[in-house]
Amino acid sequence: MRKLFFLGFLVAGMILVTEGKGYFEFNVTELDHIEELEFGFSKFSSNFNPLMVGLTLIRGAGSKGAVCLDGTLPGYHLHRGHGSGANSWLIQLEGGGWCDNIRNCVYRKKSRRGSSNYMEKQIQFTGILSNKAQENPDFFNWNRVKLRYCDGGSFSGDSQNKAAGLQFRGEKIWRAAMDDLKAKGMRNAKQALLSGCSAGGLAVILRCDEFRNLFSGSTRVKCLSDAGLFLDTPDVSGGHTIRNLYNGVVQLQGVKNNLPHLCTNHLNPTSCFFPQNLISQMKTPLFIVNAAYDIWQIQSSIAPPSADPSGYWHECRLNHGRCTPAQIRFLQGFRNQMLRAVSGFSNSRKNGLFINSCFAHCQTERQDTWFADDSPVIHKKAVAIAVGDWYFDRAEVKLIDCPYPCDRSCHNLVFR
């Protein structure tokens, strides 16, 4: 049975209704905050007693210049592993969009995306972070960490704007967090997995080979990018919405020197912020989980209101069921571009893929899409099983779905 998850808008925020079980009101006013869904969906998952994990601020980070946009200390949530997972570590990089100009970043520093003063003191660990074997069969007893995102530049910037009181220190936050976790036992890891969703999924691709170098050669180290395959593609007006956004981030936040040099040696820095120009050069094994019709990219990159002043795409961008045949053909073209972007990458046996034909975004932290009785599947394999098979070398995993509308297992997102 196909699932639809409905979202409605209020003046003060956004309401999520899932499977008719209830709603959760988000205190946001724009679609760019689609990563907020992870909190809402877990609230109504079958897990009525999720693990709550407290926030740890990185006390030594300030002396290293590793601070959030507003200068507060960065932080993470850590749940210790046990048994066979006691020496295994999973690091999840939080997502949450970007800020590409002073105005957006000043706005952002008054939220949990720019200041630890506004971060939740406890968060739910669900999906790939769950501590229950029936919900997270391969990683439930690992040391599991969620690194909070408060720099607005995918953990990659290193600059400041004194006049606006802004610190762009994402790369320093990354290094301070890794140093702190190494001191807490991660340096002795036998196995490690760096994962992340959305802007965190992009950060995984940017930081993956650095992560590998933190460990000895005998440690199994791999990376997982969920909904991080942001494509350098024109919007519906022929403009370059996402390229302009990324160019703003790279220039404002001083990202250039923290990008992979194999890329910047022959491409400009903004091009090297796009995963399609990085993934084939990576040395560390990488698994990509992505919806072929990524709902964030449809709403914020392909068909944002700024590129659609007539409103022709308004209904389609909120509900794929209201797309015209011509709009669906356009979106099929986007899927084809995504498949071309991963074609060379997928030729390497060390890499893995799970690209399902869903209208979704971030599928590893939500329990219903990671591992449940009715999770999305490709060839009867759920995301959790696909990732586990790849990580532990149980099987080569290169799963690409047939085009929409063939997949009846999707948990599609619909807004209203």
Side-chain angles (χ1 to χ4, degrees):
M1 178 179 181
R2 183 184 303 177
K3 282 196 163 44
L4 295 177
F5 294 93
F6 291 94
L7 291 124
F9 289 96
L10 293 180
V11 173
M14 188 163 64
I15 288 184
L16 166 67
V17 183
T18 166
E19 301 177 277
K21 295 177 182 176
Y23 66 88
F24 181 75
E25 184 173 334
F26 295 104
N27 186 27
V28 295
T29 56
E30 56 185 58
L31 297 178
D32 284 354
H33 294 271
I34 210 164
E35 290 88 351
E36 306 279 352
L37 297 178
E38 69 194 54
F39 295 95
F41 276 110
S42 57
K43 197 176 184 75
F44 298 110
S45 71
S46 59
N47 180 2
F48 292 109
N49 188 29
L51 175 69
M52 301 298 294
V53 180
L55 176 66
T56 299
L57 296 179
I58 305 172
R59 294 297 174 187
S63 62
K64 300 176 180 179
V67 293
C68 298
L69 284 173
D70 70 338
T72 54
L73 293 176
Y76 58 76
H77 304 257
L78 164 64
H79 189 252
R80 289 286 187 176
H82 60 88
S84 61
N87 289 319
S88 297
W89 288 76
L90 186 153
I91 311 299
Q92 178 83 358
L93 303 182
E94 185 178 33
W98 307 269
C99 65
D100 63 329
N101 58 53
I102 296 299
R103 180 181 177 183
N104 289 345
C105 294
V106 167
Y107 175 81
R108 188 182 180 97
K109 76 174 183 176
K110 294 295 185 181
S111 75
R112 63 187 177 88
R113 300 298 193 203
S115 170
S116 57
N117 286 340
Y118 299 93
M119 291 178 185
E120 304 87 346
K121 299 303 182 249
Q122 289 189 317
I123 63 169
Q124 298 179 9
F125 267 28
T126 58
I128 197 171
L129 296 174
S130 172
N131 65 329
K132 299 178 175 64
Q134 66 270 28
E135 297 176 349
N136 188 22
D138 284 307
F139 308 108
F140 72 96
N141 64 346
W142 284 31
N143 297 282
R144 300 170 326 286
V145 179
K146 183 161 187 175
L147 179 57
R148 300 304 295 269
Y149 180 40
C150 64
D151 64 276
S154 283
F155 298 95
S156 296
D158 191 12
S159 66
Q160 63 179 330
N161 186 293
K162 290 184 178 180
L166 290 168
Q167 295 288 327
F168 305 114
R169 305 299 184 186
E171 195 272 341
K172 282 185 166 67
I173 291 172
W174 156 261
R175 284 195 282 122
M178 294 304 103
D179 288 345
D180 202 61
L181 293 169
K182 283 168 66 179
K184 291 185 176 180
M186 190 176 75
R187 63 164 46 96
N188 301 316
K190 303 299 183 187
Q191 302 179 117
L193 176 63
L194 178 66
S195 66
C197 151
S198 194
L202 169 59
V204 166
I205 292 169
L206 293 168
R207 305 268 80 87
C208 180
D209 284 341
E210 291 179 30
F211 184 69
R212 205 284 156 250
N213 291 334
L214 297 175
F215 304 94
S216 71
S218 62
T219 305
R220 183 199 299 264
V221 181
K222 298 187 179 185
C223 301
L224 165 63
S225 175
D226 176 13
L229 191 60
F230 298 96
L231 298 183
D232 187 6
T233 186
D235 58 42
V236 294
S237 72
H240 297 278
T241 297
I242 193 167
R243 173 164 276 274
N244 293 338
L245 168 67
Y246 277 9
N247 185 62
V249 174
V250 169
Q251 298 302 323
L252 177 68
Q253 299 211 24
V255 171
K256 178 181 177 180
N257 292 333
N258 297 320
L259 295 170
H261 296 306
L262 277 176
C263 182
T264 55
N265 284 341
H266 67 280
L267 291 176
N268 64 66
T270 299
S271 294
C272 294
F273 207 60
F274 282 99
Q276 66 201 67
N277 299 320
L278 302 171
I279 55 177
S280 294
Q281 302 170 0
M282 293 170 58
K283 298 175 182 178
T284 309
L286 173 68
F287 194 101
I288 291 175
V289 175
N290 228 94
Y293 313 97
D294 185 288
I295 197 68
W296 187 94
Q297 294 191 64
I298 290 173
Q299 295 184 351
S300 300
S301 169
I302 300 172
S306 59
D308 180 40
S310 69
Y312 172 69
W313 278 85
H314 177 73
E315 293 298 317
C316 178
R317 69 192 289 269
L318 298 182
N319 182 347
H320 61 278
R322 296 176 182 168
C323 296
T324 67
Q327 288 170 330
I328 291 295
R329 285 194 297 273
F330 189 95
L331 296 178
Q332 298 293 20
F334 175 76
R335 173 183 177 271
N336 291 339
Q337 184 178 349
M338 184 178 292
L339 297 186
R340 287 193 297 271
V342 300
S343 59
F345 163 87
S346 66
N347 288 333
S348 174
R349 183 176 178 83
K350 75 178 189 295
N351 296 325
L353 280 174
F354 188 102
I355 297 183
N356 54 350
S357 291
C358 303
F359 290 79
H361 186 73
C362 289
Q363 300 180 83
T364 59
E365 284 190 34
R366 279 174 42 193
Q367 195 60 55
D368 68 294
T369 48
W370 172 247
F371 192 63
D373 291 342
D374 57 354
S375 293
V377 295
I378 303 177
H379 303 320
K380 299 183 179 180
K381 188 170 287 193
V383 178
I385 302 304
V387 171
D389 284 352
W390 163 80
Y391 185 87
F392 294 102
D393 299 319
R394 295 191 294 245
E396 187 173 355
V397 182
K398 305 286 172 57
L399 295 171
I400 298 176
D401 218 349
C402 48
Y404 172 82
C406 70
D407 190 338
R408 308 293 292 184
S409 70
C410 289
H411 291 200
N412 291 318
L413 297 176
V414 173
F415 297 76
R416 65 182 182 187

